[in-house]
Each structure stands twice: as structure tokens, then as C-alpha cells.
């Protein structure tokens, strides 16, 4: 079943997945590459995400990722996930800053 993603004013969508090799959370950039930093994620309008998502899901196994889906983000640099769940996935555990992920590399 497809998740319902609501896109508000000044929000975009980005694609995320988990890398099969090691389970690392990855984000799709504008070149179609999966990168471990949300700062390089391609921001898409709600109207343009469907074909990009469909292609990414079809290529998931070949690209070495699993669980591809879209995430609503604030349209800022770097993109900031709207939900707490996705902020934790993007920036790391909430227990100690030492374990946080850099936003851009």
C-alpha cells in the first residue's frame, strides 16, 4: 500500500531508500544516484514525483537499494524533512550529537 504524503506550501518531495549492502539510509540526487546525505537530494514538485518514483522503484534492485519512497521536505537548503521520523532518518539518532550524520558532503 502506498503511503499518503501530503505536500504543504513551500514543501517539496525527495526520494529515500535503504542501501542493501549495509542498510544505510540514502537519498536520490538529481543524477539518479543514491547518496547518504539528504543535502544532495533532488527536490521534486508533487506533480513530477510519480514517474521519478516509479523509475526508482523499478531500478531499486539494480541500484542496490530497497524500500524506495517519497518524503515531504521544506524547500530550503539543505532539505529539511517535515516529519520527526524522517528527520531522525536524515540526521541520525536523537541520543547524542556525536552520532549525527552530516547534512552535505
Amino acid at each position: 500500500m502506498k503511503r499518503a504524503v501530503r505536500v504543504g506550501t513551500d514543501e517539496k518531495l525527495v526520494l529515500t531508500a535503504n542501501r542493501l549492502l549495509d542498510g544505510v539510509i540514502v537519498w536520490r540526487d538529481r543524477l539518479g544516484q543514491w547518496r547518504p546525505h539528504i543535502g544532495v537530494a533532488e527536490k521534486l514538485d508533487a506533480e513530477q514525483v510519480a514517474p521519478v518514483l516509479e523509475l526508482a522503484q523499478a531500478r531499486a534492485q539494480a541500484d542496490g537499494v530497497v524500500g524506495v519512497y517519497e518524503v515531504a521536505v521544506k524547500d530550503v537548503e539543505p532539505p529539511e524533512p517535515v516529519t520527526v521520523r524522517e528527520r531522525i532518518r536524515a540526521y541520525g539518532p536523537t541520543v547524542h550529537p556525536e552520532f549525527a550524520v552530516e547534512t552535505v558532503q
Side-chain angles (χ1 to χ4, degrees):
M1 181 162 86
K2 186 175 180 328
R3 299 172 192 223
V5 176
R6 296 180 190 168
V7 181
T9 305
D10 298 324
E11 293 178 357
K12 300 281 186 172
L13 295 167
V14 297
L15 299 187
T16 188
N18 288 83
R19 202 163 47 201
L20 281 171
L21 182 64
D22 54 12
V24 168
I25 296 157
V26 290
W27 307 87
R28 187 180 180 281
D29 69 15
R30 64 182 184 83
L31 301 175
Q33 302 297 308
W34 293 99
R35 311 272 301 281
H37 299 284
I38 193 171
V40 298
E42 176 183 25
K43 294 185 285 187
L44 303 163
D45 291 321
E47 301 79 33
Q48 65 185 151
V49 76
V52 177
L53 177 60
E54 186 177 319
L55 177 62
Q57 289 173 331
R59 291 195 39 83
Q61 185 173 3
D63 289 344
V65 297
V66 65
V68 178
Y69 64 96
E70 71 272 28
V71 172
V73 296
K74 293 179 183 175
D75 190 12
V76 296
E77 292 300 328
E80 183 180 322
V82 174
T83 67
V84 171
R85 177 187 191 275
E86 297 305 334
R87 281 195 298 273
I88 292 169
R89 287 183 78 245
Y91 300 118
T94 59
V95 293
H96 193 281
E98 178 182 335
F99 302 109
V101 177
E102 293 181 34
T103 57
V104 178
Q105 184 176 22

